[in-house]
Amino acid sequence: MYVAVKGGERAIDNAHAWLAEERRGDARVRELSVAQIREQMTLAVNRVMAEGSLYDPDLAALAIKQARGDLIEAVFLIRAYRTTLPRFGASRPMDTAAMACDRRVSATFKDAPGGQVLGPTFDYTHRLLDFKLAADGEVPFAPELADAEPSKDTPHIMEFLDREGLMQRDTDGRTPPRDLTREPLELPATRDLRLQALTRGDEGFVLGMAYSTQRGYARNHAFVAELRIGKVAVEMDIPELGFAVEIGEVELTECETVNQFAGSKTEPPQFTRGYGLVFGMSERKAISMALVDRALRWEELGEDNLGAPAQDAEFVLYHADNIQATGFLEHIKLPHYVDFQSELELIRKLRREATADRGAHRAAAE
Amino acid sequence: MTVGPDEETRDRKTWMGILARAEAGDLARLWQDLGPAPAHDVLRAPEIGGIMLRGRMGAVGDAFNMGEMSVTRCSVRLANGPDGHAYVQGRSRTKALQAALVDALMQSGAADAVRTKLLSPLAEIEAKRRASRAAKAAATKVDFFTMVRGED
């Protein structure tokens, strides 16, 4: 319990003024612009959009600046802003097969139709600090393939396994998805809610859960059948018009994993999938999401519950949100004077009693 | 040539898409070049809101909610008749208003001029941007070669 207390206004004002000064840092160093953060800290911006659950690079960049680079604080700012926006509606489900891919790789098929396209990846870099970046550098240049074909739809690699019937199919039952920002998350959570919770979940938490499945906590050996990153059109039905139009485009990372499945009472032996879809270029998060999605599907696939943390929907879904977690965690630093006073009283009383007891024993012994 | 309603809708979808995806700066510049804004009433002043973006489980299955995107919408009516609507990504009120006006003008006698001076250049900017990214991606496509193995 905490009790309303008054006082400290001046201290709070001054603390905030100092925060602003510290945020700015050494005034002799040029101030960082929001555009610079948006363009040059793109992956941080992506993470804030994904976990803040709002696709708006300018706002995410502003939030990062305001939060002094504390990404969870930035996510908090975005979540708070998001609640002020009137909801105009929902997009049609985005068609990732029509993605203009910057990157597209498969770990299962070398000769995937459409090819293996590396894109602007950190893979194959040597992770050595590049001191050239510490100096004012030239604008780098990326080669373009002269006779590149215009981008066209890139078919999903999973389709090929689908055709052979080796793949458990996801089907569109046209069920309207539930929205955990509009109704509290209740268990058992259907897969639509689980995916929503995972895509906005904390990257570190989802990564840790995914890693646990790889280390053996839930038998779930995954291959990355396909990982793709690129721009996807956003289409929405416009009530004033009576038809759907494209209202923008977003960058997404999509990961489909293929997992062995020995079959169950109702399903023949086949491959199953895990699915990850995240705002921005967020490869680690998308792969993690796919692994955790797959682990959480044990019940619908008729697998055994091995008691692994990643199979426990309550554990995963109720702890993945870093804003909920931060809120509860950090509230313990707020005044709990009354709580603590009563604890103090209690411990003093217990000690008094214990001392009195010992005194009585001693007296009896003598 | 007469244009059927289906074709009309398709055409309108195309230009509304171009306007929505255009950078606010590009649209503003070409809009300025087009001359003074036509007389109009604002039916719905530019309003910033969000829409829920949806994905599909396993890319093909049932929909799920991913997260929201900021959107600005606006509706106008030209003095000589047609209504224009805009739903555009982001929070630029100016862009939404200009997009709604262009949508209205495209249903008026000014359509040809607007197409030539504004929509075509915007489409070109977009096509160039896309081609450049596609060409960069193509340059990172892997050419595999298999080493000849010694054993038979």
Side-chain angles (χ1 to χ4, degrees):
Chain A
M1 180 178 85
Y2 41 79
V3 168
V5 280
K6 284 196 143 205
E9 286 91 346
R10 191 167 46 91
I12 290 170
D13 286 346
N14 291 343
H16 288 172
W18 195 16
L19 167 66
E21 189 185 283
E22 289 287 304
R23 173 191 296 125
R24 176 61 183 85
D26 185 342
R28 289 167 301 181
V29 176
R30 254 186 300 166
E31 190 180 350
L32 200 53
S33 75
V34 170
Q36 283 172 336
I37 297 171
R38 187 193 63 222
E39 296 303 314
Q40 297 174 41
M41 293 284 124
T42 320
L43 301 189
V45 167
N46 287 345
R47 182 165 177 185
V48 170
M49 293 197 299
E51 293 170 27
S53 208
L54 180 70
Y55 197 99
D56 189 317
D58 291 300
L59 285 180
L62 174 62
I64 290 168
K65 178 169 177 172
Q66 188 177 334
R68 306 180 66 194
D70 178 339
L71 296 188
I72 292 183
E73 180 71 18
V75 169
F76 199 165
L77 294 169
I78 292 297
R79 290 271 185 97
Y81 176 83
R82 191 197 67 76
T83 60
T84 67
L85 290 177
R87 176 81 65 88
F88 292 163
S91 79
R92 290 198 167 177
M94 292 180 282
D95 181 10
T96 52
M99 178 185 282
C101 295
D102 284 352
R103 170 167 168 78
R104 190 265 201 154
V105 291
S106 169
T108 52
F109 294 104
K110 176 167 77 71
D111 299 310
Q116 307 264 358
V117 175
L118 301 181
T121 180
F122 288 124
D123 295 353
Y124 322 108
T125 62
H126 293 106
R127 267 76 185 210
L128 299 173
L129 278 175
D130 180 359
F131 290 98
K132 287 204 295 291
L133 290 173
D136 277 340
E138 295 162 17
V139 177
F141 159 83
E144 297 187 5
L145 191 72
D147 52 352
E149 289 173 40
S151 60
K152 51 176 189 285
D153 289 9
T154 315
H156 281 104
I157 286 162
M158 288 293 217
E159 279 179 26
F160 305 108
L161 287 173
D162 262 355
R163 276 181 217 155
E164 279 190 69
L166 299 176
M167 174 60 61
Q168 179 260 339
R169 270 197 81 86
D170 285 315
T171 49
D172 181 10
R174 303 197 173 274
T175 320
R178 292 174 40 196
D179 183 354
L180 61 79
T181 69
R182 292 298 161 103
E183 46 183 329
L185 182 62
E186 280 173 13
L187 295 163
T190 43
R191 193 173 175 210
D192 51 343
L193 287 173
R194 300 198 303 253
L195 289 170
Q196 185 180 9
L198 290 174
T199 192
R200 74 209 298 266
D202 182 77
E203 181 169 317
F205 179 84
V206 182
L207 168 67
M209 295 313 295
Y211 181 45
S212 76
T213 71
Q214 290 188 293
R215 292 194 62 253
Y217 290 89
R219 180 181 53 205
N220 159 4
H221 183 69
F223 296 100
V224 172
E226 184 167 357
L227 181 72
R228 55 168 68 192
I229 303 175
K231 289 266 173 65
V232 178
V234 176
E235 207 181 7
M236 179 178 151
D237 287 296
I238 307 296
E240 293 89 331
L241 300 176
F243 54 83
V245 297
E246 279 185 23
I247 62 172
E249 58 183 5
V250 291
E251 187 184 35
L252 301 177
T253 302
E254 180 184 58
C255 175
E256 289 190 278
T257 57
V258 52
N259 302 64
Q260 294 161 356
F261 176 56
S264 68
K265 289 187 196 90
T266 52
E267 302 275 347
Q270 58 188 333
F271 291 118
T272 55
R273 14 176 151 213
Y275 189 66
L277 187 68
V278 184
F279 284 162
M281 185 173 183
S282 310
E283 202 165 295
R284 183 187 305 116
K285 173 78 172 285
I287 301 171
S288 301
M289 177 175 167
L291 261 55
V292 178
D293 169 49
R294 177 61 186 81
L296 289 172
R297 299 183 66 199
W298 66 272
E299 207 162 2
E300 66 209 43
L301 293 169
E303 291 175 330
D304 294 334
N305 182 0
L306 303 170
Q311 288 181 308
D312 183 341
E314 180 173 350
F315 183 81
V316 174
L317 303 179
Y318 281 6
H319 300 108
D321 192 283
N322 53 26
I323 300 309
Q324 276 173 12
T326 299
F328 198 60
L329 183 101
E330 295 204 1
H331 100 280
I332 62 172
K333 72 192 173 187
L334 297 173
H336 279 69
Y337 305 137
V338 175
D339 275 357
F340 190 69
Q341 282 301 321
S342 72
E343 298 259 318
L344 205 57
E345 280 301 308
L346 181 66
I347 210 96
R348 278 177 180 147
K349 184 164 167 264
L350 290 172
R351 284 174 66 100
R352 265 198 310 272
E353 283 169 6
T355 317
D357 275 356
R358 270 204 301 278
H361 279 299
R362 252 201 313 273
E366 283 163 7
Chain B
M1 195 182 79
T2 53
V3 180
D6 281 358
E7 208 163 327
E8 237 167 66
T9 303
R10 198 163 46 226
D11 206 20
R12 192 166 179 200
K13 282 167 80 131
T14 305
W15 79 59
M16 289 184 84
I18 292 170
L19 291 165
R21 294 187 305 267
E23 299 236 349
D26 292 333
L27 175 58
R29 180 172 48 79
L30 290 162
W31 176 253
Q32 292 298 326
D33 295 349
L34 217 54
H40 65 273
D41 288 325
V42 176
L43 301 178
R44 173 157 58 206
E47 180 191 11
I48 297 171
I51 67 154
M52 179 51 88
L53 300 179
R54 288 182 174 159
R56 284 189 185 285
M57 303 173 190
V60 292
D62 275 320
F64 68 95
N65 290 311
M66 268 197 83
E68 282 164 288
M69 175 177 96
S70 56
V71 170
T72 308
R73 66 180 175 186
C74 177
S75 296
V76 298
R77 174 168 295 162
L78 294 188
N80 63 356
D83 291 350
H85 301 289
Y87 275 76
V88 296
Q89 179 175 10
R91 289 166 298 108
S92 168
R93 291 188 170 88
T94 314
K95 180 181 168 181
L97 176 64
Q98 288 166 351
L101 285 166
V102 172
D103 180 48
L105 284 172
M106 282 303 292
Q107 303 165 69
S108 76
D112 286 343
V114 172
R115 194 188 293 275
T116 319
K117 290 188 188 152
L118 187 134
L119 285 173
S120 302
L122 281 182
E124 212 169 294
I125 292 169
E126 186 181 26
K128 254 192 206 147
R129 191 173 59 221
R130 285 188 175 182
S132 163
R133 279 200 93 81
K136 281 173 193 163
T140 68
K141 192 185 246 182
V142 179
D143 292 319
F144 285 106
F145 52 92
T146 308
M147 306 296 236
V148 178
R149 289 158 62 124
E151 77 274 25
D152 194 35

